[in-house]
């Protein structure tokens, strides 16, 4: 018997009380290092695969122009019946061949409704058995000697006093919550909401680009603070290539900024806390651990010719649509990442692009490391523009592993270092490069003018001085 055999029966399933029968069971990745390029679309696998979704909330009526809504934009409510939100930036299939899009795969079949009736029947049986057992126990104990006791008659315990224990989730929540805001955004292309956190007393707030991009060109942003106060905000600068943005509120002073930690010393298994506004539930606190580090996660930028690749911190702390832009913190209450994406399997059957789930939590979330976000935010505040780290070469997955370089831009850091088209990068310093996305993430997480040693598949090593170029968001 296989788990997908429709004729098979589960011997443990409940049987009909009269009949005794069981119920029927029913190429180039186009990662721009100077020039922006789109990845090739891959084939459609036979089975459904999961997809990456941004964790924002939005008005389901927004269409974002002539193309499908970008799930990395600030969106989160249900789409109208028959419509599905799709990203123009298909992420790599972590379980399939390179270049395979997980957005164009049929999703697994839904369970038959009969199973719901079966569960209801089992629940009914459990309730009835519990009632009989309870009555029997009452009968047996009712005749026992001695006075009866009732928990309702007991006095209330002493009220909690004092501070939360240091290093507890409660202590982190008390420290960070006053600095976390809900961002309500609207523009010509739609409306939505996400999260952000205060980084200065005079009103600078750090968030995701995909939270605020719909309001970047003449739209409106409103920040809602923990105490219910509201303030208008405007975009200071944003970087679609790293999914980072800075906004500033007006008319509000003496705000409480977060304490920024560091992400270069994170360890797998350490406890973390996430705070944000999932499904417009502002101030929601969840906790978990660091599940993995240096996950290259690809997502949509602000238009079809941009690709966002994060060198993400993976966590199992529950984050959902609306959490985007909120802080991921260590147990000292220091921000170590910006919650940005979740991994969601498709949930309904259908043709290509049909049945993509709206992105609920399945215990796999991704955050931008705070070291990278801090550097980008500082540049935006000082200059009004983000700077992207690059080497000036196109790149694709190498068949034998690693990242194969394509066209090299004239005068680029790659050309100056002597790299050639066809070179296959297998390491940057001590980090193994197993794909094009890993190379992109490893470069972008570093600062311009840093030196990095590239190891090639033929054993050669090349020192590259990384370049920086201004980001021009649309």
């Amino acid at each position: 018997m296989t788990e997908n055999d429709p004729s098979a029966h589960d011997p443990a399933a409940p049987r009909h009380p009269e009949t005794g029968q069981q119920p029927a069971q029913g190429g180039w990745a186009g990662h721009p290092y100077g020039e922006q390029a789109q990845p090739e679309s891959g084939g459609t696998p036979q089975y459904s695969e999961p997809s990456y979704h941004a964790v924002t909330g939005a008005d389901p009526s927004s269409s974002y122009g002539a193309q499908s809504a970008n799930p990395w934009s600030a969106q989160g409510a249900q789409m109208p019946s028959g419509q599905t939100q799709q990203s123009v930036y298909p992420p790599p299939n972590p379980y399939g061949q390179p270049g395979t899009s997980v957005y164009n795969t049929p999703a697994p079949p839904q369970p038959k409704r009969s199973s719901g009736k079966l569960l209801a029947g089992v629940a009914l049986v459990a309730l009835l058995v519990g009632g009989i057992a309870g009555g029997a126990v009452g009968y047996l104990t009712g005749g026992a000697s001695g006075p009866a006791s009732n928990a309702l008659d007991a006095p209330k315990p002493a009220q909690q006093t004092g501070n939360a224990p240091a290093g507890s989730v409660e202590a982190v929540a008390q420290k960070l919550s006053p600095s976390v805001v809900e961002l309500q955004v609207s523009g010509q292309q739609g409306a939505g909401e996400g999260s952000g956190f205060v980084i200065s007393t005079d009103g600078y707030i750090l968030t995701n680009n995909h939270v605020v991009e719909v309001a970047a060109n003449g739209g409106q942003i409103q920040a809602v603070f923990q105490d219910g106060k509201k303030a208008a905000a405007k975009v200071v600068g944003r970087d679609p290539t790293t999914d980072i943005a800075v906004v500033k509120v007006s008319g509000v002073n003496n705000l409480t900024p977060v304490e920024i930690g560091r992400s270069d010393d994170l360890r797998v298994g350490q406890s973390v806390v996430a705070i944000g506004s999932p499904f417009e539930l502002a101030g929601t606190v969840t906790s978990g651990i660091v599940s993995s580090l240096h996950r290259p996660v690809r997502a949509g930028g602000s238009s079809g010719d941009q690709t966002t690749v994060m060198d993400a911190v993976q966590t199992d702390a529950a984050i959902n649509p609306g959490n985007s832009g909120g802080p991921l913190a260590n147990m000292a209450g220091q921000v170590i990442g910006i919650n940005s994406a979740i991994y969601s399997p498709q949930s309904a059957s259908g043709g290509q692009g049909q049945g993509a789930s709206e992105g609920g939590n399945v215990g796999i979330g991704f955050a931008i490391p705070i070291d990278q976000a801090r550097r980008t935010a500082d540049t935006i505040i000082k200059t009004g523009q983000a700077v992207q780290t690059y080497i000036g070469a196109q790149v694709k997955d190498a068949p034998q592993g690693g990242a194969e370089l394509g066209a090299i831009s004239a005068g680029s850091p790659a050309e100056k270092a002597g790299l050639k088209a066809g070179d296959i990068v297998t390491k940057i310093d001590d980090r193994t490069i197993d794909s094009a996305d890993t190379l992109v993430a490893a470069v972008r997480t570093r600062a311009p003018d840093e030196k990095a040693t590239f190891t090639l598949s033929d054993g050669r090593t090349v020192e590259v001085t990384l370049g920086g170029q201004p980001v021009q968001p649309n």
Side-chain angles (χ1 to χ4, degrees):
M1 179 179 73
T2 64
E3 66 176 326
N4 293 322
D5 184 357
S7 65
H9 294 274
D10 183 358
R15 298 176 178 271
H16 191 282
E18 296 182 2
T19 65
Q21 295 182 346
Q22 294 177 309
Q25 301 293 326
W28 288 108
H31 299 295
Y33 284 92
E35 296 126 8
Q36 308 289 352
Q38 296 185 16
E40 292 180 352
S41 61
T44 302
Q46 182 178 359
Y47 301 101
S48 65
E49 298 291 348
S51 57
Y52 294 100
H53 295 267
V55 282
T56 58
D59 185 339
S61 65
S62 64
S63 64
Y64 289 85
Q67 60 187 12
S68 299
N70 180 355
W72 291 86
S73 300
Q75 305 182 54
Q78 297 255 346
M79 298 291 291
S81 176
Q83 297 185 21
T84 303
Q85 203 172 275
Q86 300 184 53
S87 170
V88 295
Y89 309 94
N93 178 357
Y95 305 108
Q97 296 300 318
T100 301
S101 169
V102 298
Y103 280 95
N104 298 327
T105 58
Q110 290 290 326
K112 294 185 177 180
R113 293 186 180 274
S114 60
S115 61
K117 296 179 180 178
L118 175 61
L119 290 175
V122 173
L124 180 60
V125 171
L127 288 172
L128 292 175
V129 171
I132 295 171
V137 171
Y139 174 79
L140 291 174
T141 59
S145 62
S149 62
N150 191 324
L152 300 178
D153 297 331
K156 291 182 179 180
Q159 191 172 22
Q160 296 185 65
T161 60
N163 296 325
S168 65
V169 174
E170 181 185 359
V172 175
Q174 289 181 358
K175 179 178 180 178
L176 271 183
S177 292
S179 305
V180 181
V181 300
E182 179 183 6
L183 296 175
Q184 300 172 346
V185 301
S186 62
Q188 293 182 348
Q189 295 178 314
E193 60 89 30
S195 305
F197 53 93
V198 177
I199 56 174
S200 72
T201 58
D202 59 347
Y204 284 105
I205 293 173
L206 189 56
T207 185
N208 285 138
N209 171 70
H210 73 260
V211 170
V212 301
E213 64 180 344
V214 68
N217 298 311
Q220 295 181 334
I221 304 174
Q222 182 173 248
V224 183
F225 295 88
Q226 181 194 34
D227 59 5
K229 291 182 180 178
K230 300 179 180 180
K234 64 178 181 179
V235 175
V236 177
R238 57 194 183 92
D239 180 7
T241 66
T242 57
D243 199 20
I244 294 169
V246 176
V247 302
K248 191 175 190 296
V249 295
S250 57
V252 180
N253 295 312
N254 300 319
L255 297 177
T256 303
V258 299
E259 180 182 356
I260 295 179
R262 58 190 302 165
S263 52
D264 61 353
D265 63 351
L266 293 176
R267 297 178 181 178
V268 173
Q270 77 174 79
S271 298
V272 289
V273 174
I275 305 180
S277 304
F279 299 107
E280 300 185 36
L281 299 173
T284 297
V285 177
T286 57
S287 64
I289 62 169
V290 173
S291 303
S292 186
L293 297 168
H294 303 298
R295 288 288 195 201
V297 176
R298 191 195 306 184
S302 64
S303 65
D305 63 353
Q306 292 175 315
T307 300
T308 298
V309 178
M310 299 182 291
D311 193 39
V313 178
Q314 182 182 330
T315 180
D316 68 348
I319 54 178
N320 286 284
N323 269 113
S324 272
L328 185 69
N330 60 24
M331 301 313 291
Q334 301 167 330
V335 177
I336 52 86
I338 304 176
N339 298 317
S340 300
I342 52 178
Y343 185 73
S344 297
Q346 293 181 336
S347 61
S349 60
Q352 291 195 2
Q354 300 296 317
S357 77
E358 83 174 46
N361 171 63
V362 295
I364 303 177
F366 303 100
I368 301 169
I370 198 62
D371 292 350
Q372 178 180 1
R374 181 176 193 163
R375 183 178 66 251
T376 301
D378 186 57
T379 303
I380 289 175
I381 291 172
K382 291 178 178 177
T383 69
Q385 192 172 40
V387 174
Q388 177 194 59
T389 307
Y390 80 112
I391 62 171
Q394 290 185 333
V395 61
K396 70 175 182 180
D397 293 337
Q400 63 271 45
E404 182 178 343
L405 303 183
I408 308 292
S409 299
S412 66
E415 185 187 59
K416 292 177 181 178
L419 292 172
K420 307 290 184 184
D423 285 341
I424 297 175
V425 181
T426 58
K427 263 189 176 185
I428 295 182
D429 293 332
D430 294 329
R431 178 172 180 175
T432 299
I433 304 300
D434 56 4
S435 68
D437 279 357
T438 305
L439 175 59
V440 175
V443 169
R444 287 185 178 166
T445 195
R446 296 167 181 259
D449 299 324
E450 279 190 26
K451 296 183 183 298
T453 300
F454 284 45
T455 300
L456 307 182
S457 59
D458 58 7
R460 290 182 295 133
T461 59
V462 178
E463 185 177 75
V464 181
T465 300
L466 306 177
Q469 61 184 5
V471 176
Q472 302 290 342
N474 291 341

